[in-house]
Each structure stands twice: as C-alpha cells, then as structure tokens.
C-alpha cells in the first residue's frame, strides 16, 4: 500500500492552566485563551486523530491502522500491541502551574483502568525566565511523611524543582511525582494513556467554581517515594546526525539538528516513525509522497517506508519510534 507521510488535524484541549502560545507560536486553530494541549497523534477513545493531507484526508488514524496494520505500524509493533497505537504525541503550553501528579505503571493501570501506564518524556521548546518543573522528591520520603505533608499542606517542601531552558529534556517514568511549571512550552511523548493521579492542585477552582478532583488514595500505592536523579536526559547535539536521546521499552527518541538535506535507510526498522518539528521547517518524504512540517507540527511515516528523505535549510526534529 502506498502510505505517504501523514499529517493530522490537531486536537486542542482547554485546560485551567493553559494559555495562547500554541496559537501564537505554532498557528494552532485555537479561539480560547486557555488552550493547554495540542494532541498531535492520538487514538485515545473520543480523541482519535484525523488525517489532514493527501488521499487519506478525513480518515481517522484508527481506521488506517485497522485497514493497514502491518504496513503502517510494523509487524513487531502489531505483534506487541495489536491495532492499539502505543504512542500519544502532544504539545503543551503551561501559562500556569499544572497540578502535581503522577502516573501508574502498566500493572496498576491495567488492573484499575484497563489502560496502559504512562511513561513520558518532555522536550522544552520555550521557557519564560525562571520557569521550572517539579520532578521527584528532594529527599527520600516515607509514605507516612508524604501523607502528613498532604494533611499539613506542606507537600511543596518535599519536592524537587528544576529550572529549565530550551532544549532541556526530561524522562518521567511511572510513579515519579511531577508538574510542568508556569511559562513552559514543551513537546511530550508518552504511552497511549490518559490516566493521571492528581495529588495537589494549589486549591484552584475550575470555571464552574469547583475544586478539581484529587486522586489521593489511588496515588499512595503508585508513588515512587525515593529521591532519584534519573530524570534529566543528557544527549549529544551533533549537527546533521541522528543523536540518541531516550531508549525505553515504550518508545525511542532521537534528536536531529539539520542545516542540510539528509537521506537514511530504514528498511530494517519494522516500526512507524514520527517526526515532531521543534524548530525551523523541513520537508520529509518517502517513496510515496512528502509533507512539509514547521515548528509545532508532526508527521507520521508508515513502517513500510524503506527510506526517509529530509530536505531543509534549518530544522530541529524529534524522531520517535518503537
């Protein structure tokens, strides 16, 4: 099947903490002042991406997977996940601090929610001066100490804060308490899951005047209470090369900083390939077509692509595979 590089209509999400950067910087078709997320590639129920380019325009990603599973996903991916698309791709604009939260592992998520767990990574695309993330605890914490901090409203004293700037990358494994801070714009790559345990929300109220739901009890058994410095990703930034960033059981991500055209063979890959453009512009093609993406856009290349050609005068890309 002649599956060309696919683009999809963004699925925009209003969030209490969202802003306007997705529209202002990326041109997303938002009319809201609180757009927090642009879901670029999704098969989450109720939020399935729809193709925006070429002969398959108007077709959902799930329809394509059901019709061309091996050609689109790759044999090894189908053997592992069936026709479930295993990755969820987003851009996130935090005008305000996100809630402090964590995600359950695969076993807990399956048992409680019939879902995958949620391992994720963040690439910082833009950050206001002084912007930061919360990632993990600042010391080993006992379950009792954590519970006491919730009761005494002192949880923030136990958390680790990380100042961030463009290009910083973080790997957030399941169980790690975390939050995106105000003024951060990032690309997120994660398992296909929308399961989040919110444990503190700064006592904010939604537009109806209600406090948002917390998941205190569910979180107790899902949290990793140890202090671990395993979240900041150190990666090479060699120009016009494929630089490895993250290699975990759920996804592999590389960083490409290109100022000239590049062609590479992927016959051996047996997986789909995603490109997220985090700077500049690039035209990306296989034997069956090509597509141009700019900063804040994403494309999906099918597994039956033998070769990828990228034409650019300057771009930075995140390349994601399984």
């Amino acid at each position: 099947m002649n599956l060309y590089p696919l683009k999809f209509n963004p699925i925009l999400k209003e969030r209490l903490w969202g802003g306007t950067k997705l529209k202002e910087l990326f041109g997303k078709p938002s009319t809201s002042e609180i757009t927090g997320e642009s879901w670029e590639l999704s098969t989450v129920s109720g939020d399935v991406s729809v193709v925006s380019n070429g002969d398959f325009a108007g077709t959902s990603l799930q329809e394509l997977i059901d019709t061309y599973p091996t050609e689109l996903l790759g044999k090894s991916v189908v053997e592992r996940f069936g026709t479930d698309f295993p990755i969820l791709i987003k851009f996130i604009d935090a005008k305000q601090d996100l809630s402090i939260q964590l995600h359950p592992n695969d076993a807990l998520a399956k048992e409680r929610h019939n879902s995958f767990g949620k391992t994720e990574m963040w690439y910082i695309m833009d950050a206001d001066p002084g912007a930061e993330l919360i990632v993990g605890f600042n010391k080993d914490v006992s379950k009792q100490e954590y519970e006491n901090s919730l009761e005494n409203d002192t949880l923030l004293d136990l958390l680790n804060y990380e100042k961030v700037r463009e290009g910083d990358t973080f790997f957030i494994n399941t169980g790690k308490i975390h939050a995106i801070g105000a003024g951060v714009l990032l690309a997120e790559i994660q398992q296909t899951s929308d399961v989040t345990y919110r444990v503190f929300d700064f006592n904010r109220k939604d537009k109806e005047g209600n406090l948002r739901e917390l998941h205190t009890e569910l979180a107790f058994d899902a949290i990793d209470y140890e202090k671990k410095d395993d979240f900041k990703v150190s990666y090479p930034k060699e120009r016009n090369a494929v630089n490895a960033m993250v290699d975990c059981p759920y996804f592999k991500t590389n960083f490409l900083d290109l100022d000239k055209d590049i062609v590479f063979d992927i016959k051996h890959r047996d997986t789909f390939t995603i490109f997220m453009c985090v700077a500049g512009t690039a035209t990306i093609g296989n034997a069956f077509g090509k597509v141009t993406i700019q900063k804040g856009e994403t494309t999906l290349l099918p597994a039956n692509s033998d070769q990828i050609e990228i034409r650019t005068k300057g771009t930075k890309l995140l390349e994601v595979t399984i």
Side-chain angles (χ1 to χ4, degrees):
M1 186 59 200
N2 297 340
L3 290 169
Y4 54 88
L6 301 164
K7 285 179 76 171
F8 296 83
N9 297 315
I11 301 168
L12 302 179
K13 298 285 187 178
E14 283 194 346
R15 299 293 189 230
L16 183 67
W17 40 262
T20 57
K21 286 183 180 178
L22 294 174
K23 177 182 180 179
E24 293 167 354
L25 300 184
F26 298 165
K28 300 298 181 184
S30 168
T31 57
S32 170
E33 297 296 306
I34 55 167
T35 301
E37 302 184 7
S38 176
W39 290 22
E40 299 289 300
L41 275 174
S42 168
T43 55
V44 173
S45 179
D47 289 300
V48 179
S49 297
V50 174
V51 178
S52 63
N53 68 317
D55 292 341
F56 290 113
T59 305
S60 78
L61 176 56
Q62 191 62 61
E63 286 180 76
L64 285 178
I65 292 171
D66 291 340
T67 307
Y68 312 108
T70 302
E71 296 92 333
L72 185 60
L73 299 182
K75 182 180 177 183
S76 63
V77 178
V78 172
E79 288 174 350
R80 184 175 171 193
F81 297 102
T83 55
D84 293 327
F85 193 64
I87 299 291
L88 177 57
I89 299 290
K90 303 176 182 177
F91 294 110
I92 296 178
D93 171 26
K95 185 176 182 180
Q96 300 180 36
D97 296 329
L98 271 68
S99 63
I100 296 168
Q101 58 189 245
L102 60 128
H103 309 295
N105 61 28
D106 284 344
L108 270 180
K110 180 67 175 176
E111 176 187 340
R112 293 175 175 175
H113 313 285
N114 193 31
S115 171
F116 292 125
K118 190 174 175 183
T119 297
E120 60 192 359
M121 68 163 281
W122 297 331
Y123 175 90
I124 308 300
M125 295 179 67
D126 186 65
D128 293 347
E132 58 191 8
L133 307 174
I134 290 171
V135 192
F137 292 106
N138 58 29
K139 64 174 185 174
D140 289 346
V141 175
S142 69
K143 183 177 179 182
Q144 187 60 55
E145 189 175 4
Y146 170 76
E147 289 187 47
N148 291 343
S149 77
L150 295 181
E151 293 172 7
N152 301 327
D153 202 19
T154 57
L155 175 61
L156 298 180
D157 296 338
L158 299 178
L159 302 178
N160 174 59
Y161 295 82
E162 294 282 327
K163 290 272 195 293
V164 295
R165 61 182 181 179
E166 180 185 351
D168 287 348
T169 301
F170 295 83
F171 181 71
I172 311 296
N173 49 301
T174 55
K176 189 179 296 298
I177 199 163
H178 63 274
I180 302 171
V184 175
L185 178 68
L186 58 78
E188 180 175 272
I189 298 155
Q190 61 159 94
Q191 289 176 269
T192 291
S193 171
D194 206 25
V195 179
T196 294
Y197 294 163
R198 186 184 301 124
V199 298
F200 184 68
D201 196 32
F202 306 96
N203 302 312
R204 291 181 294 198
K205 296 181 179 180
D206 64 20
K207 58 187 177 183
E208 278 82 40
N210 302 311
L211 293 170
R212 293 201 295 172
E213 180 184 6
L214 299 181
H215 310 96
T216 307
E217 295 296 326
L218 287 171
F220 284 141
D221 293 336
I223 294 177
D224 183 350
Y225 294 99
E226 292 184 40
K227 177 187 185 299
K228 294 177 179 174
D229 297 321
D230 59 353
F231 46 80
K232 188 77 177 284
V233 178
S234 177
Y235 62 98
K237 300 180 178 67
E238 184 181 346
R239 183 70 60 85
N240 299 315
V242 177
N243 300 286
M245 300 178 87
V246 169
D247 187 346
C248 75
Y250 307 105
F251 52 81
K252 298 177 177 65
T253 305
N254 299 316
F255 176 72
L256 284 71
D257 181 1
L258 308 176
D259 63 6
K260 65 179 183 180
D261 300 343
I262 186 172
V263 178
F264 48 101
D265 191 309
I266 59 165
K267 289 191 189 75
H268 62 286
R269 190 167 277 181
D270 192 29
T271 171
F272 59 86
T273 303
I274 298 164
F275 286 102
M276 302 181 78
C277 185
V278 295
T281 303
T283 298
I284 301 174
N286 65 7
F288 309 116
K290 59 186 178 182
V291 67
T292 297
I293 57 173
Q294 61 186 8
K295 184 177 182 179
E297 292 186 329
T298 303
T299 185
L300 171 66
L301 277 80
N304 68 354
S305 303
D306 289 338
Q307 194 176 76
I308 294 175
E309 180 178 13
I310 303 174
R311 293 190 174 277
T312 185
K313 294 182 179 178
T315 191
K316 293 179 181 178
L317 302 169
L318 303 182
E319 180 191 37
V320 185
T321 61
I322 292 290

